[in-house]
Amino acid sequence: MATSYMIAAVASISAGLFGHHWHGPNWGVIVVDVIFLVVLVVIARQSTRFWPLWTAASQLGGCLAHFPAIMNPAFPKELYVSTQPYWALPLLVSLLIGVISAHRLRREQEKSGGLPVSIPV
């Protein structure tokens, strides 16, 4: 999941270089956000943990933040700039929760004498 986040971040930065710089919807960034949302939903559906669902929900919020600018090209760019990146923080917090819980589970398995196994996402 962290790898897909990094790929999406690099792709968003690359797509942002060719956009309108917040004067309207940047379709390249929107496409990257939607593809990343699909990846997160697939991961969340296959997971037995709770945090991938939080991550996908945060990305959904980020995708929905594009709609006012899409629906109204005269949407104030200050609002678009302030609402779009807000959703990255809850996404990163849920990813951090997942990393911490996986580390704890792996450490508990090692302490109990069991062989360390890969942790399902």
Side-chain angles (χ1 to χ4, degrees), residues 3-94:
T3 304
S4 60
Y5 180 79
M6 292 304 297
I7 291 169
V10 170
S12 290
I13 291 170
S14 300
L17 295 175
F18 302 106
H20 299 286
H21 301 288
W22 303 109
H23 295 297
N26 187 334
W27 292 102
V29 174
I30 293 170
V31 168
V32 169
D33 283 351
V34 170
I35 290 171
F36 184 46
L37 174 63
V38 170
V39 168
L40 292 177
V41 168
V42 168
I43 291 171
R45 286 187 47 96
Q46 295 174 352
S47 177
T48 59
R49 309 277 185 233
F50 64 90
W51 61 270
L53 186 61
W54 291 0
T55 306
S58 297
Q59 182 61 21
L60 176 62
C63 287
L64 291 176
H66 289 293
F67 276 107
I70 292 170
M71 300 304 284
N72 181 9
F75 188 73
K77 72 176 183 175
E78 293 82 15
L79 290 176
Y80 189 37
V81 169
S82 64
T83 57
Q84 180 56 41
Y86 165 77
W87 293 100
L89 182 62
L91 191 147
L92 289 173
V93 168
S94 62

Side-chain angles (χ1 to χ4, degrees), residues 99-119:
V99 168
I100 290 171
S101 67
H103 179 70
R104 278 189 186 154
L105 183 60
R106 185 170 287 143
R107 210 173 42 186
E108 287 174 9
Q109 287 177 345
E110 289 174 357
K111 283 183 181 178
S112 68
L115 294 174
V117 295
S118 72
I119 308 298

